[in-house]
Amino acid sequence: MGERIRLDYSNMLKAVPAVEEEIEKARPELISAVESVEAKRNEGLLGFFNLPFLKEDAAAIKETAEHIKDGYESLVVIGIGGSALGNRLLHAALNHPWHNKLSNVQRKGCPRVYVLDSIDSDHLNGLLDILDLNKTAFNVITKSGSTVETMANYLILKDLLEREVGPHRAAKSIIATTDASRGSLLQIARRSGYRLFYIPGNVGGRYSVLSAVGLLSAAVSGIDIEELLSGAAQTAGECTVADPYQNPALMGAALQYIAYKKGKNISVVMPYSDALDYFGDWYCQLWAESLGKIKESSGRKEQLGQTPIKAIGARDQHSLLQLFLDGPDDKIFTLIEIERRENSFVIPEPGEGGIDLQYLSGSTLEKLLQSEFNATESVLTKRGRMNYKISLPQICAHTIGQLIFLYMLMTAYMGELFGVNAFDQPAVEEGKKITYRLMGRPGY
Ligand code: PA5
């Protein structure tokens, strides 16, 4: 067992004095949310629960990662939504912030990793300018096997790759990650002899980061995927009981749910860490696509969901914080603090003319950031703004695994509390069908 991340709701008690009574009132709903998640898990519907324990899959992923490390300088992940954001999250959180700019020696022989999750020709052209196709592997990821953006990018890149290195080498350079039973990518991959990873049928896109979807590119870039999974397994083991005081994922869901019922339609996640920037994007997709739903009961339609917003401390203190403090009281804030950082910078003497900066001298950048974190939680609390914090002892594979699992489970509980299916995305599917029609796909 490694160091634990912690959820601390004490600010909530100060900002909203009756919150413990609210939790008590919600207890029957919380219990039934846990029971319902457990029942779905036992029926085999919630595959994300199993991911931290699939040791054989991790071994196969590591074996392919070694093959890529041996033969390639770069890996391009082609995907979108849940088939790309988790990859971005892991790289930003756990690799050197300028991983792709480092020399091969500095990267310890681990390839550069790029994520292609847009269909912007200018962006693609820019990427091609910096890639040597002879030394680039591609991991094309799509659960459905037919997502238009992913498959369009794949077809273009495969064509360019085959022209550059020939069909045989191209087939060795492409790894497909998809569903085991359906979709065009599966057929293409089998015919072309690509290495293949399967995404379990019961794991949806935005819950798939701990499967081959997120783990292959992570392992290629040198991230310890076993530690990541062991962190997730630790949280899975700690979040089982139907008591919010003993189950942090349930407490998180309870606070968000109570806030929502009090009109907090916006959920802000604010990590004080640049490395967690893409965690914020991943969270936004998870929360928005899972919970933004129409609920129909007794002939009534209710439009539900909380709008997720990412803010980064200290950067967004000079952008969004004014609104957070003086704007409408329609938000709940999750502040994420990092207790220990790997690096430290002492702020030097300002010298002549810097008398007003003297107070900084001898202090550290980390102390400044922590002071800003403390100031933000204090001022939010003083103004009665609902906020709580999650503390990571440090950023490492183990704590990031915990954070990811905590959020996936919290989202599953929220789905039950809202009474919606947190695992589909019907409105997105509708848009996809219109695109197919506009692009002339038969049958649409
Ligand atoms: O979370 C989801 O299910 C979606 O965001 C999908 O990941 C996204 O639409 C891409 O789908 P696919 O993996 O089928 O290409």
Side-chain angles (χ1 to χ4, degrees), residues 80-83 142-144 147 205-206 285 289 425 432:
I80 198 164
S83 290
T142 162
K143 171 91 192 280
S144 60
T147 297
R206 54 196 177 275
Q285 191 224 359
E289 214 167 61
Q425 53 282 328
K432 281 186 190 174

Side-chain angles (χ1 to χ4, degrees), residues 2-292:
E3 286 184 299
R4 286 175 60 200
I5 67 169
R6 300 181 314 278
L7 187 148
D8 174 350
Y9 60 94
S10 53
N11 288 340
M12 207 73 157
L13 303 180
K14 293 180 213 150
V16 190
V19 82
E20 275 179 320
E21 287 157 35
E22 307 262 359
I23 294 173
E24 277 322 302
K25 253 199 271 162
R27 208 178 260 276
E29 287 174 274
L30 298 175
I31 293 172
S32 100
V34 174
E35 286 172 354
S36 193
V37 164
E38 270 311 296
K40 286 184 181 156
R41 181 188 174 182
N42 291 334
E43 278 173 59
L45 299 174
L46 306 185
F48 78 87
F49 268 100
N50 306 332
L51 297 177
F53 307 99
L54 300 179
K55 299 235 157 57
E56 278 169 28
D57 289 13
I61 289 165
K62 280 174 72 177
E63 194 267 311
T64 295
E66 286 309 315
H67 154 78
I68 297 172
K69 279 188 204 173
D70 283 348
Y72 301 90
E73 278 179 358
S74 302
L75 171 72
V76 176
V77 171
I78 309 171
I80 198 164
S83 290
L85 279 166
N87 304 67
R88 287 194 181 277
L89 147 67
L90 295 177
H91 294 294
L94 297 171
N95 282 330
H96 187 288
W98 278 276
H99 175 87
N100 288 349
K101 301 265 181 218
L102 300 178
S103 69
N104 191 41
V105 175
Q106 287 172 310
R107 284 186 271 111
K108 301 190 177 94
C110 295
R112 302 183 186 94
V113 173
Y114 301 94
V115 178
L116 186 64
D117 60 356
S118 67
I119 41 168
D120 180 326
S121 304
D122 296 335
H123 184 86
L124 177 55
N125 190 59
L127 179 60
L128 287 167
D129 279 344
I130 60 166
L131 291 178
D132 175 351
L133 290 181
N134 281 291
K135 296 177 183 162
T136 303
F138 294 86
N139 182 199
V140 48
I141 308 176
T142 162
K143 171 91 192 280
S144 60
S146 57
T147 297
V148 63
E149 296 89 345
T150 303
M151 293 312 283
N153 276 332
Y154 155 75
L155 289 171
I156 292 168
L157 286 165
K158 185 200 72 149
D159 183 50
L160 291 171
L161 188 63
E162 284 183 348
R163 285 175 207 222
E164 183 77 21
V165 304
H168 181 72
R169 165 91 175 152
K172 294 243 165 300
S173 304
I174 299 174
I175 297 109
T177 306
T178 191
D179 192 275
S181 61
R182 65 183 169 130
S184 306
L185 182 62
L186 181 68
Q187 305 309 324
I188 293 172
R190 284 192 174 149
R191 281 183 195 195
S192 312
Y194 299 163
R195 281 182 185 240
L196 246 173
F197 284 99
Y198 297 123
I199 309 169
N202 55 4
V203 176
R206 54 196 177 275
Y207 296 85
S208 68
V209 52
L210 299 176
S211 73
V213 170
L215 296 184
L216 179 61
S217 69
V220 165
S221 65
I223 292 170
D224 186 341
I225 61 170
E226 270 141 4
E227 269 303 293
L228 191 69
L229 295 176
S230 100
Q234 183 171 329
T235 299
E238 283 166 5
C239 296
T240 51
V241 285
D243 176 358
Y245 296 97
Q246 290 179 56
N247 177 340
L250 188 60
M251 178 55 93
L255 299 176
Q256 295 286 154
Y257 182 57
I258 289 165
Y260 184 71
K261 290 212 292 193
K262 287 179 174 298
K264 314 300 178 208
N265 294 321
I266 298 174
S267 169
V268 178
V269 162
M270 190 165 186
Y272 273 65
S273 162
D274 288 8
L276 296 187
D277 199 336
Y278 274 108
F279 168 77
D281 290 321
W282 175 83
Y283 158 73
C284 284
Q285 191 224 359
L286 182 67
W287 210 246
E289 214 167 61
S290 302
L291 304 172

